[in-house]
Amino acid sequence: MLQVFEARLFELVTGEIGSELVAGRIVMAISFREEVLEHSWYAIEWWCQRRIFIGNCYVVSLAMKIRRFPEVRSVELKWKPHFADFNLVPDGWGGYFYPWICEMARVYPLLEEIKLKRMVVTDECLELISKSFKNFKVLVLSSCEGFSTDGLAAIAANCRHCCMLFASWNLRELDLRESEVEDLSGHWLSHFPDSCTSLQSLNMSCLASEVNFSALQRLIARSPNLKTLRLNRAVPLEKLSTLLHRAPQLVELGTGAYSAEIRPNVYSNLAEAFSRCKELMGLSGFWDVVPSYLPAIYSVCSRLTSLNLSYATIQSPDVTKIVTQCPNLQSLSVLDYIEDAGLHALSLSCKDLRELRVFPSDPFVADANVSLTEQGLVAVSEGCLKLQSVLYFCRQMSNAALTTIAKNRPNLNCFRLCILEPRAPDYLTLEPLDNGFGAIVDHCKQLQRLSLSGLLTDLVFEYIGNRAKKLEMLSIAFAGDSDMGLHHVLSGCDSLRKLEIRDCPFGDKALLDNVSKLETMRSLWMSSCSVSLGACKRLSQKMPRLNVEVIDEQGDLDSRSDNSPVEKLYVYRTVAGPRLDMPSFIRNMDQNPTCRRYSLEKLFSE
Amino acid sequence: MLQWLSIRTKGEENGVVGWPPVKSSRKTLCHRGGCGGGSKSTYVKVQMEGDGIARKINLNLHHSYNTLVHTLAQMFGKCNEDVKLTYQDKEGDWLLAGDVPWGSFVENVKRLKLVKKT
């Protein structure tokens, strides 16, 4: 048992942060820095005590986690299912950070970092964070919600009482990426006291309202270590040069709205300010771009490794002009305004490209508003030899194109294709796209993440089950013919950790034939499929270490027959039994929860 | 197209929830008129109190009262702290700008007037 356990630990040690349930024991996440030289069990245990990552918050109960590791410096929690990003998870589902922070405040005095993803974080949580940890340095709230700018003011201000005791305030990073924040006022920024000089990273791009500009300016001016600054849309372009003058050391910049009335002095100030930023390697922001102001960034283009123009509603010639000046580009996010022509130019200019993401400018319109097709992606797959990660929204695809892409780029590790119309066939042959995706999983042997779309039969899942042995995350929508599709995936994909499915005819048989597989995975999401309530109950009976949650907003789950289909199903492994924060429209299928709850002692003595 | 769906939940424009899988921050981008071919123009007349000459400003270049007032003040050679922005809405009433959310303001504004703060 111990050898298996150690072998898995080694896997984690060399790779990503993650948490695994191995033979009933939780393996803590490990992030290895230069200091760790040994991979011995004791070294790992020591590191475990410093940093905790929990990929699914309900895997362990609070008490267990807290008791084991009092020396914790860093906590990273991910909560809601990924499909919450697309409004498939109803409000009130759960994911409240408050109980966690109450416990942490009590027992983790040395906590320095909190990173949360898809959680409900209230102002009370933020206030508690601000008061509880004297060494607190890093707060990252990714796709979170439930807090307002008042809570941010508490974070900013908290050094006020700390400063009385300590020499300087140590907040290093405040990153609110894509969170939903209730914007009560822009004055929260003014709460950073003058003694706060340690800021290295500030990401407020998700905030809607205007912050107090002079407070922002002063904060930036007294933060010599500021490397990342992502402004929000409300910061006017005319003022950007003022900020850049005070932070020429920036490595990553997110602009505010990139528009202003055309005035020569504004342009020249901006161009000059950019030219002073000799360390700048990443640019983002670019809402509302006025193309005449784009040349102001040309002086930094040759250095750029990362460029996010996915909010820039500029046409193909303007986008192309920028990207072709960035020979060192590794990561590009754009709207489909770039069109095939722009992608072709990209493939010739950006030979170091690793990641490409193309978003739809008008996703709800059936007819193409831009000339972007599968050809653009084919061109990039031909010209960019280091391309590893793709996210591509388009309106047409063919098996031939997918096969070409697969043969060109066997080094792909992430391939997410979204053909906008559900069940769209190969536009040339009108056949399903089974063979095309089959080629992808056949050639790209390191593929870890795959998102499918278009017309697909059970055959594609047979290919995936047979070939995609390194696949860890799979997203399926409007695909397949029968249970066999799901069966192929569950029985074949050895490395599968996360599976999310919507609107597919997958049902009871595949699920119940593969119950033990589910305990090796982090989670399974199925919505609008053909799974019955009875099957969910049977699944829960067979697998006591799984939480089988049925979400049904129609109400009356208790009076439904076992034959009735469930709206949404979320299954994940746990050692803590049913969670306690479920709303009325979610039911755990566990018939005997108290008998099945595992005790801490039993778990760690195995 | 949706024959598998036994239960239909309320959705967006095409009736399917969460499809295409685009985050809300991106959908807002499209609805703000950023799509369909570059930035459109919404020009409104703006006057400065005491100044006979009217100017025009493209509201689509702005997304907050702050940037708008700042630009207008500069346009008339004033400091933005010395002026207040008023506007005439579709019903002909003159109102103080800033009370309603930006989106509603843009939809209802007919003309603008900068007045000096007393």
Side-chain angles (χ1 to χ4, degrees):
Chain A
M1 185 75 97
L2 192 60
Q3 287 101 319
V4 170
F5 185 41
E6 284 205 45
R8 292 302 291 271
L9 274 176
F10 270 82
E11 225 182 331
L12 286 176
V13 157
T14 50
E16 290 277 285
I17 297 178
S19 90
E20 300 295 315
L21 180 64
V22 178
R25 195 191 298 254
I26 302 299
V27 174
M28 297 312 155
I30 303 150
S31 165
F32 272 76
R33 301 176 200 258
E34 307 75 41
E35 302 95 279
V36 176
L37 303 169
E38 289 186 280
H39 292 179
S40 72
W41 167 237
Y42 296 104
I44 290 165
E45 178 75 355
W46 180 75
W47 272 97
C48 285
Q49 290 176 10
R50 294 304 176 95
R51 178 178 273 262
I52 289 178
F53 166 85
I54 301 169
N56 181 322
C57 259
Y58 294 110
V59 175
V60 291
S61 70
L62 276 176
M64 277 175 49
K65 185 98 325 304
I66 301 294
R67 231 189 304 174
R68 185 143 169 86
F69 301 113
E71 294 274 311
V72 166
R73 300 274 199 276
S74 163
V75 171
E76 184 175 349
L77 307 178
K78 291 184 183 178
W79 208 295
K80 291 187 197 172
H82 172 236
F83 274 179
D85 285 353
F86 316 124
N87 297 328
L88 286 173
V89 176
D91 279 343
W93 177 89
Y96 305 103
F97 183 55
Y98 191 68
W100 288 81
I101 190 58
C102 286
E103 277 301 295
M104 288 181 198
R106 224 169 40 83
V107 298
Y108 289 167
L110 302 174
L111 193 63
E112 296 178 3
E113 297 185 354
I114 293 177
K115 298 182 184 179
L116 307 176
K117 188 165 187 176
R118 294 194 196 98
M119 293 187 64
V120 179
V121 180
T122 58
D123 286 346
E124 287 74 24
C125 298
L126 295 178
E127 276 158 41
L128 209 46
I129 292 172
S130 75
K131 289 182 213 164
S132 310
F133 312 110
K134 63 179 168 75
N135 288 340
F136 196 73
K137 292 189 170 65
V138 173
L139 180 64
V140 179
L141 301 176
S142 180
S143 304
C144 293
E145 55 172 347
F147 62 101
S148 76
T149 43
D150 285 354
L152 296 179
I155 294 287
N158 76 50
C159 48
R160 210 166 266 152
H161 67 260
C162 284
C163 297
M164 293 193 292
L165 304 170
F166 304 98
S168 67
W169 171 235
N170 23 16
L171 189 72
R172 210 174 63 201
E173 184 176 338
L174 178 61
D175 186 340
L176 308 173
R177 55 185 86 155
E178 297 181 31
S179 286
E180 271 183 43
V181 185
E182 191 189 349
D183 247 314
L184 299 175
S185 98
H187 289 293
W188 65 273
L189 205 72
S190 317
H191 289 259
F192 278 107
D194 294 342
S195 52
C196 177
T197 58
S198 52
L199 207 60
Q200 291 179 17
S201 171
L202 177 63
N203 179 356
M204 46 179 240
S205 53
C206 62
L207 296 182
S209 75
E210 311 143 29
V211 292
N212 183 310
F213 187 78
S214 52
L216 175 62
Q217 197 175 322
R218 286 196 310 274
L219 177 63
I220 289 169
R222 65 175 184 275
S223 303
N225 297 316
L226 191 68
K227 293 281 189 283
T228 297
L229 175 65
R230 299 205 204 275
L231 303 168
N232 64 342
R233 198 172 186 172
V235 175
L237 187 62
E238 295 97 325
K239 293 187 172 167
L240 183 58
S241 51
T242 315
L243 297 178
L244 289 180
H245 273 120
R246 283 158 180 74
Q249 76 284 358
L250 280 178
V251 174
E252 289 179 326
L253 170 72
T255 71
Y258 205 79
S259 57
E261 304 285 343
I262 314 254
R263 285 204 300 283
N265 61 321
V266 172
Y267 176 85
S268 57
N269 287 344
L270 192 60
E272 198 256 341
F274 269 115
S275 70
R276 285 178 180 220
C277 296
K278 305 289 189 200
E279 316 290 325
L280 205 54
M281 293 185 30
L283 278 181
S284 59
F286 294 106
W287 289 279
D288 322 308
V289 175
V290 165
S292 320
Y293 278 102
L294 284 173
I297 68 167
Y298 285 175
S299 62
V300 303
C301 282
S302 60
R303 226 178 294 119
L304 286 183
T305 57
S306 165
L307 182 57
N308 186 344
L309 293 172
S310 64
Y311 292 98
T313 51
I314 50 177
Q315 303 302 298
S316 181
D318 293 313
V319 185
T320 307
K321 218 161 169 201
I322 301 176
V323 300
T324 48
Q325 292 188 61
C326 303
N328 291 309
L329 208 56
Q330 294 180 16
S331 170
L332 176 66
S333 297
V334 274
L335 286 172
D336 55 9
Y337 285 134
I338 193 173
E339 298 189 336
D340 288 342
L343 289 175
H344 187 253
L346 177 74
S347 73
L348 298 175
S349 310
C350 302
K351 294 305 189 182
D352 214 19
L353 196 71
R354 321 275 165 103
E355 178 187 39
L356 174 68
R357 301 190 309 164
V358 179
F359 293 96
S361 52
D362 221 341
F364 301 112
V365 157
D367 296 328
N369 57 324
V370 289
S371 180
L372 178 116
T373 69
E374 80 284 6
Q375 291 307 316
L377 186 56
V378 170
V380 177
S381 76
E382 267 162 17
C384 300
L385 307 185
K386 296 189 189 168
L387 189 69
Q388 288 175 336
S389 175
V390 170
L391 169 63
Y392 200 74
F393 283 82
C394 60
R395 285 184 168 82
Q396 66 185 45
M397 187 49 66
S398 65
N399 284 309
L402 283 171
T403 306
T404 304
I405 292 164
K407 287 181 177 168
N408 284 342
R409 294 277 62 78
N411 49 326
L412 285 175
N413 61 32
C414 170
F415 188 73
R416 297 162 69 191
L417 180 69
C418 181
I419 306 166
L420 290 175
E421 178 68 29
R423 303 196 184 87
D426 177 324
Y427 79 99
L428 293 169
T429 64
L430 298 184
E431 285 172 353
L433 290 169
D434 300 334
N435 289 336
F437 279 107
I440 293 281
V441 292
D442 193 24
H443 292 274
C444 307
K445 303 210 188 311
Q446 301 306 313
L447 198 68
Q448 289 179 316
R449 186 169 180 183
L450 177 64
S451 297
L452 304 171
S453 58
L455 183 64
L456 297 164
T457 71
D458 285 346
L459 187 57
V460 74
F461 299 110
E462 196 181 331
Y463 293 149
I464 291 172
N466 285 341
R467 303 170 189 177
K469 295 306 182 184
K470 296 282 172 78
L471 194 65
E472 296 183 8
M473 182 170 177
L474 178 61
S475 306
I476 311 173
F478 305 102
D481 306 313
S482 75
D483 257 1
M484 280 312 290
L486 180 57
H487 177 75
H488 286 309
V489 171
L490 289 178
S491 59
C493 296
D494 297 336
S495 309
L496 198 63
R497 284 172 39 233
K498 291 199 284 189
L499 180 58
E500 48 187 25
I501 305 171
R502 63 161 298 170
D503 294 276
C504 296
F506 300 150
D508 300 348
K509 188 170 191 320
L511 216 50
L512 293 172
D513 283 349
N514 291 282
V515 292
S516 44
K517 173 70 174 178
L518 296 179
E519 209 179 63
T520 69
M521 290 165 53
R522 189 187 286 174
S523 65
L524 166 69
W525 168 279
M526 292 179 73
S527 56
S528 304
C529 295
S530 309
V531 180
S532 72
L533 190 58
C536 295
K537 290 179 185 170
R538 286 202 298 286
L539 173 59
S540 184
Q541 265 176 332
K542 285 192 182 188
M543 305 299 293
R545 286 200 291 219
L546 290 180
N547 267 349
V548 178
E549 292 180 7
V550 168
I551 301 169
D552 201 306
E553 289 177 279
Q554 307 250 311
D556 268 349
L557 256 179
D558 298 322
S559 58
R560 296 272 189 85
S561 82
D562 278 1
N563 285 337
S564 61
V566 303
E567 269 180 18
K568 297 171 186 178
L569 172 66
Y570 188 50
V571 181
Y572 55 94
R573 59 193 179 191
T574 180
V575 293
R579 59 186 171 107
L580 300 173
D581 60 354
M582 283 188 295
S584 58
F585 54 82
I586 302 185
R587 285 274 192 283
N588 189 302
M589 294 289 104
D590 196 336
Q591 313 287 320
N592 292 300
T594 48
C595 302
R596 303 220 158 89
R597 203 181 292 266
Y598 276 66
S599 69
L600 174 65
E601 289 75 28
K602 179 176 182 197
L603 181 74
F604 285 98
S605 65
E606 272 176 40
Chain B
M1 176 170 104
L2 297 166
Q3 64 223 80
W4 305 116
L5 262 185
S6 49
I7 298 146
R8 181 89 67 99
T9 34
K10 64 174 162 66
E12 295 124 8
E13 282 106 33
N14 58 354
V16 182
V17 178
W19 191 266
V22 171
K23 290 184 187 173
S24 353
S25 53
R26 296 199 174 279
K27 285 187 225 158
T28 324
L29 174 76
C30 290
H31 292 154
R32 282 274 163 93
C35 303
S39 43
K40 292 184 258 194
S41 318
T42 304
Y43 281 99
V44 293
K45 265 194 195 166
V46 55
Q47 265 183 296
M48 176 74 218
E49 183 184 37
D51 192 336
I53 299 169
R55 310 281 295 275
K56 269 194 170 168
I57 189 158
N58 183 358
L59 277 184
N60 270 356
L61 296 182
H62 298 273
H63 282 82
S64 67
Y65 290 108
N66 195 355
T67 63
L68 180 60
V69 173
H70 179 82
T71 301
L72 290 176
Q74 281 205 321
M75 205 184 245
F76 291 101
K78 302 273 184 267
C79 178
N80 55 337
E81 274 146 24
D82 295 337
V83 296
K84 274 187 306 195
L85 182 61
T86 63
Y87 70 103
Q88 189 179 36
D89 69 3
K90 283 183 176 161
E91 275 136 39
D93 299 322
W94 280 94
L95 305 164
L96 192 62
D99 287 339
V100 299
W102 175 259
S104 310
F105 166 74
V106 171
E107 273 168 43
N108 285 301
V109 63
K110 294 295 298 283
R111 51 202 303 158
L112 297 166
K113 190 169 183 181
L114 272 183
V115 298
K116 293 171 201 154
K117 274 187 192 164
T118 42

